[in-house]
Amino acid sequence: MAVSNLKCRECDATYPLEARYACEHCFGPLEVVYDHSHLAGGDVGELRRRIQAGPQNIWRYADFLPLVDGAPGPSGRLASRVGLPAGCTPLIRADRLAQRLGLREVWVKNDAANPTHSFKDRVVSVAASRARELGFHTIACASTGNLAGSVAAYGAAMGLQSYVFIPADLEEQKILSAGVYGTNLVAVKGTYDDVNRLCTELSAERDWAFVNVNLRPYYAEGSKTLAFEIAEQLGFELPDRCVVPVASGSLFTKLAKGFGEWQDLGLIEGSLPTMTGAQADGCSPVAQAFAGGQDFCVPVKPDTIAKSLAIGNPADGPYALDVARRSGGSVESVSDEEIVDGIALLAQTTGVFTETAGGVTTATLVKLAESGQIDPDERVVLVITGDGLTLEAARGTFATHEIEPTVESFEALGARNAAEAWAR
Ligand SMILES: Cc1ncc(COP(=O)(O)O)c(C=O)c1O
Ligand SMILES: [Zn+2]
């Protein structure tokens, strides 16, 4: 067992590995600490082979995850044989996108290829497994959309009760793709920040594992597996830059933690990739703080089509700012129009149809390329965190040619114009 305890990120106070998320002394957030001394100082090749021999899912990184019994499952069996394995999603070389942007090497990490179509399956796998270790029978969450589907699905797969709390104005596709798993779906009349506040209150009253509230330290660790996979898929090498969507800032921060843990063990060499955070103009508290040179975020009221990133008061905002600054990166924001263009550009150059969060990420890469903020020779990884479930965002990005079922009708379209449109 590599996991040792919880530690306050602000004052270093330590705590046992309980369902606890805030420091009693300073209210700082708690983080999981590991003891990797049994892995350090040995043969790096051996350690790499040990990882490569693991299951084709996130549990190949069990040495770096906060499960006391190692990889979880009933009677300690590998999680890959139970539940809903997440991870090992494709890293796709995107030469057509790179060419369009005047860049040399762009990779798309397609985390839409997870069981419920977003990277949230990584964090929920870890949190739900830890919830079971801690003896909880109910998992719950405050969600901007994707977490809802993931918690509902893992509850179903693992035989746990689930409650998911969402803002009432969520996209219908996200509601349908959570409700189908037979969860208790609660639509709250308010913003995500209202939902989160309610869930924080409820977590003090109920004996439930709120994956992103009282189990947040464990939940957040699941995002590190995205960093491990990127490095492993690049042959245990680091990219020069990662472009990553930011809502609460947890994914962005934990990607850096994951790279750091592997650097410490010599599994990968080089410095932390330049970390570029991506937000929507209509909810950009971290980008605004970055631009203003502040180390804290001023909460905002979200107004954007990127609802999955619509967190106005980001819990990990200060840590995300720190990661951006110490990696030589930045946190950028893009307009709703640019998000739609980003979705279409990614789809039309790579065949990957992402949701609005991926539109934010792609549009941010476009912005970096067009403004010359990126060296054309950099090896860039674009982190695509969710599938095109936000279908409405694709409306207007293409034309449909309606005809009678006759050759004449088709030819009347003006085959030349149509061919041009279709060849794009
Ligand atoms: C698709 C998608 N991408 C990225 C994020 C950002 O996650 P975080 O809150 O860890 O910054 C979310 C979270 O809500 C999401 O749903
Ligand atoms: Zn503290």
Side-chain angles (χ1 to χ4, degrees):
M1 172 182 119
V3 58
S4 340
N5 50 268
L6 298 177
K7 188 169 109 180
C8 173
R9 296 199 62 169
E10 294 299 323
C11 77
D12 288 348
T14 58
Y15 295 89
L17 294 161
E18 298 167 344
R20 180 194 280 274
Y21 63 103
C23 177
E24 278 175 4
H25 307 290
C26 74
F27 302 109
L30 304 183
E31 188 168 60
V32 179
V33 178
Y34 299 83
D35 177 4
H36 283 140
S37 51
H38 62 296
L39 301 176
D43 178 0
V44 168
E46 186 57 39
L47 193 47
R48 287 178 180 165
R49 281 191 291 281
R50 176 186 160 119
I51 292 166
Q52 287 168 324
Q56 290 292 317
N57 56 58
I58 62 162
W59 301 114
R60 67 203 277 108
Y61 310 116
D63 284 333
F64 304 90
L65 294 174
L67 277 297
V68 170
D69 299 330
S75 61
R77 287 175 66 79
L78 281 178
S80 55
R81 302 191 196 130
V82 296
L84 208 50
C88 287
T89 60
L91 182 72
I92 307 159
R93 177 122 183 188
D95 284 341
R96 296 192 65 236
L97 176 61
Q99 197 181 17
R100 190 74 80 87
L101 299 177
L103 304 175
R104 190 175 59 83
E105 190 177 342
V106 176
W107 296 82
V108 169
K109 178 61 175 167
N110 185 15
D111 240 28
N114 272 306
T116 74
H117 317 290
S118 88
F119 90 100
K120 295 288 182 184
D121 293 334
R122 297 176 184 275
V123 283
V124 173
S125 289
V126 174
S129 301
R130 183 71 190 129
R132 190 149 70 179
E133 277 191 349
L134 287 166
F136 287 100
H137 301 292
T138 302
I139 54 173
C141 70
S143 174
T144 56
N146 292 308
L147 192 53
S150 189
V151 164
Y154 279 80
M158 295 170 72
L160 297 164
Q161 276 255 44
S162 68
Y163 282 80
V164 307
F165 295 80
I166 52 171
D169 71 346
L170 207 59
E171 300 99 335
E172 193 186 10
Q173 294 96 346
K174 293 280 172 80
I175 296 174
L176 294 170
S177 57
V180 72
Y181 297 112
T183 185
N184 298 292
L185 192 57
V186 187
V188 179
K189 293 177 192 160
T191 63
Y192 169 80
D193 298 285
D194 297 321
V195 176
N196 190 41
R197 201 170 46 245
L198 171 64
C199 288
T200 305
E201 280 176 39
L202 288 172
S203 75
E205 286 181 1
R206 321 247 149 180
D207 195 18
W208 293 354
F210 277 87
V211 298
N212 57 339
V213 182
N214 52 344
L215 262 69
R216 191 170 178 85
Y218 309 101
Y219 158 97
E221 291 292 292
S223 285
K224 292 186 317 191
T225 62
L226 243 174
F228 299 149
E229 271 179 38
I230 290 169
E232 194 186 344
Q233 288 170 316
L234 289 174
F236 289 95
E237 282 187 15
L238 283 168
D240 298 312
R241 180 189 299 264
C242 293
V243 186
V244 185
V246 171
S248 72
S250 177
L251 167 64
F252 189 69
T253 313
K254 297 300 169 180
L255 275 175
K257 186 177 188 236
F259 289 132
E261 286 179 3
W262 275 23
Q263 284 169 322
D264 288 348
L265 287 170
L267 273 165
I268 41 177
E269 285 171 4
S271 50
L272 179 64
T274 303
M275 299 292 290
T276 302
Q279 297 207 292
D281 285 345
C283 183
S284 54
V286 192
Q288 285 173 29
F290 185 88
Q294 291 141 353
D295 54 11
F296 60 92
C297 299
V298 178
V300 302
K301 190 154 194 310
D303 180 16
T304 169
I305 57 166
K307 290 181 190 281
S308 59
L309 301 182
I311 298 185
N313 189 8
D316 291 291
Y319 306 108
L321 287 165
D322 176 56
V323 165
R325 290 191 176 119
R326 72 185 156 81
S327 68
S330 62
V331 184
E332 308 285 336
S333 70
V334 291
S335 69
D336 283 1
E337 206 179 14
E338 289 169 315
I339 295 169
V340 171
D341 290 347
I343 291 172
L345 177 65
L346 187 73
Q348 292 167 16
T349 55
T350 68
V352 172
F353 178 25
T354 184
E355 65 146 81
T356 44
V360 170
T361 320
T362 308
T364 296
L365 181 63
V366 171
K367 190 173 158 185
L368 291 182
E370 285 178 351
S371 64
Q373 285 182 69
I374 188 167
D375 179 340
D377 284 334
E378 282 181 31
R379 175 193 269 181
V380 185
V381 173
L382 195 58
V383 178
I384 297 301
T385 48
D387 206 7
L389 287 176
T390 54
L391 285 174
E392 277 305 314
R395 204 178 292 284
T397 61
F398 60 94
T400 309
H401 307 276
E402 194 172 308
I403 60 167
E404 297 303 323
T406 64
V407 172
E408 295 73 36
S409 179
F410 173 70
E411 285 178 343
L413 270 178
R416 210 176 71 84
N417 287 344
E420 264 174 21
W422 295 340
R424 256 195 306 158

